[in-house]
Amino acid sequence: MILDLPSLLCEPERGLGVCPAIRASPDRHMLNSIVGKHLRVHLSNGWVFEPWFTGPDFIEYQLEAGPHKGRHAIQIPTFRQIVPGAIESLHWIEETGTHVNLTWYLETQLIERHASVPRWLADHDMAVTTGQNWDPEYLAKIRQMAADGPDMPRHVYADRGYFEILDDKTVAKHSEYFGTERKTPKLNAHPYAHTTP
């Protein structure tokens, strides 16, 4: 049986105002990895996004709620199994220069996000990143804004939330965003593909 959410993560005085109604249940999914899964992530600041992990080095996601609702992005992340079958981590650098790190706690379906956003974007309406990050016009606009800067001081998000596993019916319902087939380009086929040291 899956444990109830740890009370430590639900203490309002610690600023963790997200305590979902995900509780122990015999019909709840047993998750041993995020790889190959379509999920819905709810962060404590109200952001909701739906990532689809077609492999450990490919993530596609759509923002469903938050300041840049409608953003549809493909990223080439670094994937790590911190504790196999229990804790996994993803890190990527977005075309804006934002560093994103997500830590997934599989048993409780909790997530921690740390993101370092460049100053130019933190001071801007984040809706500027709405769109598809492989579109050449979008990339040209974002690259020019990033070049104009400034980069520092960065704004850091350090928050928590929870995630759900979407079933086939939910995936079909959201096919208008994701399409009926997953995009699976070669690792360097994405126009913003890059490597990190």
Side-chain angles (χ1 to χ4, degrees):
M1 174 164 263
I2 296 174
L3 300 175
D4 197 353
L5 292 172
S7 60
L8 173 66
L9 296 176
C10 294
E11 295 175 8
E13 64 274 9
R14 300 188 90 177
L16 308 174
V18 62
C19 276
I22 294 179
R23 301 289 185 227
S25 164
D27 60 317
R28 187 146 156 236
H29 294 283
M30 290 299 296
L31 185 64
N32 61 7
S33 180
I34 59 171
V35 175
K37 302 295 188 286
H38 183 189
L39 307 171
R40 180 176 295 130
V41 175
H42 302 264
L43 295 172
S44 58
N45 64 359
W47 291 12
V48 177
F49 73 102
E50 291 187 6
W52 177 276
F53 304 97
T54 58
D57 60 356
F58 187 86
I59 178 177
E60 179 179 351
Y61 65 88
Q62 172 81 28
L63 265 290
E64 298 293 328
H68 47 317
K69 178 182 177 182
R71 173 175 168 78
H72 188 178
I74 294 173
Q75 305 293 347
I76 310 300
T78 300
F79 171 80
R80 298 284 182 265
Q81 287 187 318
I82 308 300
V83 177
I87 303 172
E88 295 179 338
S89 176
L90 283 176
H91 175 263
W92 68 85
I93 302 172
E94 299 197 339
E95 69 282 357
T96 60
T98 299
H99 288 253
V100 178
N101 188 73
L102 303 174
T103 304
W104 306 81
Y105 299 92
L106 304 179
E107 184 177 11
T108 57
Q109 290 182 216
L110 295 172
I111 186 171
E112 290 187 22
R113 172 183 68 161
H114 293 88
S116 172
V117 178
R119 178 52 44 197
W120 71 266
L121 182 55
D123 289 346
H124 231 78
D125 178 357
M126 290 189 88
V128 72
T129 64
T130 300
Q132 297 177 333
N133 76 337
W134 59 88
D135 176 65
E137 289 180 27
Y138 168 86
L139 284 172
K141 174 183 77 171
I142 293 299
R143 287 179 178 150
Q144 184 59 56
M145 294 176 83
D148 292 344
D151 187 64
M152 300 294 279
R154 286 180 163 251
H155 178 80
V156 175
Y157 289 96
D159 51 6
R160 293 179 176 152
Y162 67 98
F163 63 95
E164 308 167 76
I165 303 166
L166 300 181
D167 60 20
D168 292 338
K169 291 177 188 174
T170 308
V171 172
K173 177 181 155 193
H174 292 284
S175 64
E176 66 200 64
Y177 294 124
F178 290 107
T180 55
E181 293 185 20
R182 312 310 309 153
K183 294 174 176 49
T184 54
K186 293 179 183 173
L187 183 61
N188 292 320
H190 184 271
Y192 189 67
H194 59 278
T195 58
T196 56

